[in-house]
Amino acid sequence: MKRGFTIMRLLKTMSEPKRFNSTEQTIINYILSHTKELASLSIRTLAERTFTSPATIFRLCRKLNLKGYTEFKIKFISEVNRTSTLGRPITGRPITDKNPPDSIVKKIAALEIESIEETKNEMHMEQLIRIAEILSKSKSIDFYAFDQNYYIAQMTAYNFIQIKKTAVANMAANSQYMQALTCDNTHTAIILSRTGENKRLIDIAEILNQRHITSILMSPIKKSTLAKLSSEFLYIADTKEYLDMGILIYNVGVRYYLDVLFAMMLSQDYWNIKKTYDKFEDIFGRLKDPWHLW
């Protein structure tokens, strides 16, 4: 489900005072100053300590696009715990000119962990199983992606081939359009889009939709043109700002989701795939091939 701002950036959002009125800011200031106490605080106790009301706290949680105080506590504590290796949560720009190399090492690790955790938390197991089954039964898995997303698609297509799934990732726009125009309903499309509004991908999604091709969109934005045109929507962690490491966060989330689907399909047909891979190794084993690079 898409939210107004990503859960992973909950702490950052709470540190932006322009978003909140004075009463809400009082509650936020107390929470940020008493992070270790929050797990044991009821909404009534927090209201008493901040001289507000449970209703006000509930409205703040809804303003943060969460269902209520219980979900807020779970998400907030989870994010604090995931970033605890930094000594404090990341609430501002992750990387600035003030960061020494050791700080950068820790922050990038924390960001990538956050991206995976947020993406995982938004997975729905029934949907995941359904999509893995769709991909397993597909004659071909066709990727639609441009720019840097193409390289993720290309890498994943090769991974799928290794588990005996035909997968296609074309770089050129004309090849992707032709792919959409000539495939049939034995194919499944995977669309990668960080914005959900890429004009070329919208054109392609409309073609796929008209031809009744199952399409799976991986994007942070559910309320987008592409999401409306897609059969399935998979939420990927993201943050809008380039200097907030948005591209890194999205790429990590996409790779994680695709790796999960790859592993699920591998598990479903493990012994059959193993036989094929053993034959592959017989031909291109490390000892026989001096150019073997993995």
Side-chain angles (χ1 to χ4, degrees):
M1 156 190 331
K2 174 60 189 167
R3 291 178 176 162
F5 30 80
T6 65
I7 296 166
M8 185 186 68
R9 309 308 294 163
L10 180 59
L11 289 167
K12 183 179 185 299
T13 302
M14 291 172 66
S15 70
E16 297 173 353
K18 291 182 181 180
R19 292 183 180 270
F20 308 102
N21 61 39
S22 58
T23 303
E24 292 167 342
Q25 194 60 57
T26 297
I27 298 168
I28 288 170
N29 290 344
Y30 185 89
I31 291 170
L32 293 176
S33 300
H34 300 81
T35 56
K36 293 182 180 179
E37 298 177 20
L38 187 66
S40 61
L41 289 182
S42 68
I43 191 170
R44 187 172 299 279
T45 301
L46 180 58
E48 291 173 354
R49 294 191 183 181
T50 56
F51 303 100
T52 59
S53 69
T56 302
I57 294 171
F58 178 78
R59 285 194 296 272
L60 172 60
C61 295
R62 296 292 292 173
K63 191 171 185 177
L64 291 165
N65 284 302
L66 298 170
K67 295 176 182 178
Y69 182 62
T70 299
E71 184 181 17
F72 168 78
K73 285 208 299 183
I74 292 170
K75 302 296 185 184
F76 179 85
I77 293 168
S78 175
E79 187 171 329
V80 168
N81 288 340
R82 292 199 303 270
T83 57
S84 62
T85 56
L86 300 175
R88 63 178 180 81
I90 300 171
T91 55
R93 294 283 189 209
I95 306 297
T96 70
D97 59 345
K98 307 298 183 185
N99 292 113
D102 63 332
S103 171
I104 291 173
V105 168
K106 292 178 181 178
K107 284 195 171 186
I108 294 301
L111 282 170
E112 295 201 6
I113 291 168
E114 284 185 39
S115 176
I116 290 171
E117 284 292 330
E118 182 187 346
T119 300
K120 177 172 69 68
N121 290 341
E122 293 296 311
M123 287 179 174
H124 300 283
M125 195 53 61
E126 289 183 3
Q127 182 189 33
L128 197 59
I129 293 169
R130 180 174 68 249
I131 290 174
E133 187 67 21
I134 290 170
L135 295 177
S136 293
K137 292 179 179 179
S138 297
K139 181 179 178 181
S140 177
I141 301 168
D142 303 335
F143 285 90
Y144 296 91
F146 293 102
D147 304 317
Q148 65 178 349
N149 288 339
Y150 162 74
Y151 295 101
I152 299 175
Q154 183 187 45
M155 177 180 65
T156 306
Y158 176 70
N159 288 342
F160 283 179
I161 289 170
Q162 287 187 303
I163 57 172
K164 304 180 68 173
K165 291 303 306 179
T166 299
V168 179
N170 289 307
M171 176 183 280
N174 60 343
S175 296
Q176 295 194 46
Y177 276 87
M178 187 58 70
Q179 182 173 279
L181 284 165
T182 57
C183 67
D184 58 32
N185 60 12
T186 64
H187 292 227
T188 298
I190 295 180
I191 303 171
L192 307 182
S193 177
R194 189 173 165 222
T195 65
E197 298 296 339
N198 182 288
K199 181 62 172 63
R200 290 174 298 181
L201 289 175
I202 290 171
D203 288 343
I204 288 169
E206 287 175 343
I207 295 169
L208 295 170
N209 201 29
Q210 291 165 7
R211 293 173 57 77
H212 306 291
I213 309 299
T214 299
S215 59
I216 301 161
L217 173 65
M218 294 186 170
S219 176
I221 304 174
K222 188 171 186 178
K223 292 182 179 179
S224 69
T225 305
L226 272 175
K228 293 175 183 176
L229 292 168
S230 301
S231 312
E232 300 275 0
F233 173 82
L234 299 178
Y235 172 79
I236 306 295
D238 184 37
T239 184
K240 290 182 179 180
E241 296 294 329
Y242 174 80
L243 290 176
D244 283 342
M245 296 293 170
I247 292 175
L248 178 150
I249 291 166
Y250 174 75
N251 288 352
V252 169
V254 168
R255 292 200 307 271
Y256 171 63
Y257 227 129
L258 290 170
D259 286 347
V260 167
L261 289 168
F262 161 81
M264 290 178 72
M265 289 188 287
L266 170 62
S267 175
Q268 289 172 3
D269 197 23
Y270 177 81
W271 291 108
N272 190 21
I273 292 167
K274 184 180 183 302
K275 289 178 182 177
T276 301
Y277 192 75
D278 287 344
K279 291 179 182 178
F280 175 81
E281 282 296 294
D282 286 342
I283 299 170
F284 294 104
R286 293 188 186 90
L287 298 178
K288 294 181 180 180
D289 185 357
W291 300 104
H292 201 80
L293 300 179
W294 62 90

